[in-house]
Amino acid sequence: MARANTTKRAILDAALELAATKGITGTTMDEVAELAGVAKGSLYYNFSSKDQLFEAMLQEGVGSLADSLRTAKGELRGWPAIEALVRQLLDRIAANAPLAKLMASEIFRTDRAWQQTLFALRHEALAVFEAAIDETEVPAGRAGIMASSVFGAVLLAGLEWLVFEPERSRDEVAAGILATLNTSAPIE
Amino acid sequence: MARANTTKRAILDAALELAATKGITGTTMDEVAELAGVAKGSLYYNFSSKDQLFEAMLQEGVGSLADSLRTAKGELRGWPAIEALVRQLLDRIAANAPLAKLMASEIFRTDRAWQQTLFALRHEALAVFEAAIDETEVPAGRAGIMASSVFGAVLLAGLEWLVFEPERSRDEVAAGILATLNTSAPIE
DNA sequence: GTCTATAATACGATAGAC
DNA sequence: GTCTATCGTATTATAGAC
């Protein structure tokens, strides 16, 4: 059982790393087994299928992301909460770039075996942003769109940073994203 | 030759539609041939490989997106330009949801045969936003991050709308995104 | 230019020894 | 619990007729 848990861990880690660059469909079970340092038979001892392996991986990753956002918001309300959430999401993207890449590529796929699971987790993460936005003075029914906008801004800017401009500092990127949320339309 | 062009068109359209839901790797040449209404041999007569077919498809789609952004900016400067670009990008996402989905899933992949091509086109599109942002009063070196943020906000909010809440109106979504860019931090 | 038929390989999954 | 060996099928690509 202890042995099974470390094997499971190695398999999940290998699966995430490979899928981040090759995509889930482009990652083969042979490759996962090789990178994890186990035989392919062990993959199927621990997970019933390729789909179930990747569903478990996404559930663990996105679930823990949603948890960390709830924790980061804590008792904060309104704009300070938004600011804390943006920084926390950016930190999590930096700490787990493979998961962030995978989220960007899987979140709008509607043909996956794990569609329901991923939808629920995505909704959990967005709900934290939505709650914070709702605490500012915002017209009714608009917080959902704004939550997606903020999440999208952080996700794309964060990945752009990690993938194409890794020489920048984290604070620089956070400041740029937060500045985007304060772009002011001129008063006419 | 005329016949070849209509065949090419049918193949490219079928490839885009399939890849939007199944991903590029998950789309087979047999499926493309069937949806396009041609035999598989015709795919290989018009394109030298699966990779080259999808590179051509992305080049056409993302290239025309970048062109339309340049046109939308026109002679506008600063905030009015940003507003026009946000609306134009949202319109293009709505008019070509399959391409938008594909962009979200392919833009951070670094193992693709067409990586260079896609990188250049992505850069072209972001440059239009960056120019508009640079025309507002923004600290030096920050416009690049802000351009990614705005692009990400529109892309994710737009896809969220089309995939999960299609009952909303386009103006409602545009207003929500623009409001996100004007979220004000309280003055303390 | 377009078709059908087929070659060559890659991949998910399973069986059975240890 | 983990391994090796293998089965069956799906997939890219090509050959050759029309």
Side-chain angles (χ1 to χ4, degrees):
Chain A
M1 181 65 168
R3 185 96 154 280
N5 281 339
T6 66
T7 296
K8 228 166 184 159
R9 183 74 271 131
I11 293 169
L12 287 168
D13 290 346
L16 175 56
E17 190 175 327
L18 287 166
T21 46
K22 309 164 69 78
I24 293 178
T25 313
T27 298
T28 71
M29 293 298 263
D30 285 274
E31 290 170 324
V32 174
E34 192 187 343
L35 184 61
V38 301
K40 188 158 60 158
S42 295
L43 267 55
Y44 286 92
Y45 178 82
N46 286 282
F47 302 94
S48 62
S49 68
K50 183 183 176 183
D51 276 352
Q52 200 255 311
L53 161 57
F54 281 96
E55 174 165 5
M57 193 219 67
L58 285 170
Q59 185 146 24
E60 177 182 76
V62 184
S64 112
L65 174 65
D67 286 345
S68 87
L69 291 176
R70 275 188 288 266
T71 304
K73 183 169 188 291
E75 298 302 314
L76 297 173
R77 295 287 174 270
W79 175 258
I82 295 173
E83 211 173 314
L85 286 171
V86 167
R87 289 187 194 281
Q88 173 66 11
L89 178 55
L90 189 63
D91 280 352
R92 293 297 306 239
I93 291 169
N96 199 345
L99 181 70
K101 281 193 199 183
L102 212 52
M103 277 187 51
S105 59
E106 288 293 327
I107 213 125
F108 294 113
R109 292 283 294 272
T110 50
D111 65 325
R112 296 297 213 184
W114 53 76
Q115 195 186 329
Q116 303 289 342
T117 304
L118 191 56
F119 180 87
L121 292 169
R122 188 190 58 92
H123 186 76
E124 273 186 51
L126 283 178
V128 188
F129 278 93
E130 196 172 339
I133 291 167
D134 243 337
E135 288 154 8
T136 64
E137 313 91 51
V138 149
R142 181 169 285 181
I145 296 167
M146 294 178 72
S148 297
S149 300
V150 176
F151 197 91
V154 181
L155 184 62
L156 256 78
L159 282 172
E160 178 89 13
W161 163 43
L162 293 170
V163 176
F164 300 115
E165 313 179 84
E167 71 280 2
R168 283 183 188 271
S169 76
R170 192 208 66 130
D171 286 344
E172 216 179 333
V173 178
I177 295 170
L178 289 168
T180 307
L181 303 182
N182 279 290
T183 309
S184 291
I187 295 120
E188 328 212 11
Chain B
M1 182 64 171
R3 185 97 156 279
N5 280 339
T6 66
T7 296
K8 230 168 183 159
R9 184 73 273 130
I11 292 170
L12 288 168
D13 290 346
L16 175 56
E17 189 175 327
L18 287 166
T21 47
K22 310 164 69 78
I24 293 178
T25 312
T27 298
T28 71
M29 294 297 262
D30 285 276
E31 290 170 324
V32 175
E34 192 188 343
L35 184 61
V38 301
K40 188 158 59 157
S42 295
L43 266 55
Y44 286 93
Y45 178 82
N46 286 283
F47 303 95
S48 62
S49 67
K50 182 183 176 182
D51 276 353
Q52 200 255 313
L53 161 57
F54 281 95
E55 174 166 5
M57 193 219 67
L58 285 170
Q59 186 147 23
E60 177 182 77
V62 184
S64 111
L65 174 65
D67 286 344
S68 85
L69 291 176
R70 274 188 288 265
T71 304
K73 184 170 187 291
E75 298 301 315
L76 297 173
R77 295 288 175 268
W79 175 257
I82 295 174
E83 212 173 314
L85 286 171
V86 167
R87 289 188 193 281
Q88 173 66 10
L89 178 56
L90 189 63
D91 280 352
R92 293 297 305 238
I93 291 170
N96 198 347
L99 180 71
K101 280 194 198 183
L102 211 52
M103 277 187 52
S105 60
E106 287 293 325
I107 212 125
F108 294 114
R109 292 282 295 271
T110 50
D111 66 324
R112 297 296 212 184
W114 52 76
Q115 195 187 329
Q116 303 289 342
T117 304
L118 191 56
F119 179 87
L121 292 169
R122 187 190 59 91
H123 187 75
E124 272 185 52
L126 283 178
V128 188
F129 278 94
E130 196 172 339
I133 291 167
D134 243 337
E135 288 154 10
T136 65
E137 312 91 52
V138 148
R142 182 168 284 181
I145 296 166
M146 293 178 73
S148 298
S149 300
V150 176
F151 197 92
V154 181
L155 184 62
L156 256 78
L159 281 171
E160 178 90 13
W161 163 44
L162 292 171
V163 176
F164 300 115
E165 313 179 83
E167 70 281 3
R168 283 184 188 271
S169 77
R170 192 208 67 131
D171 285 344
E172 214 180 335
V173 178
I177 296 170
L178 290 168
T180 308
L181 303 181
N182 279 292
T183 309
S184 291
I187 296 119
E188 327 212 11

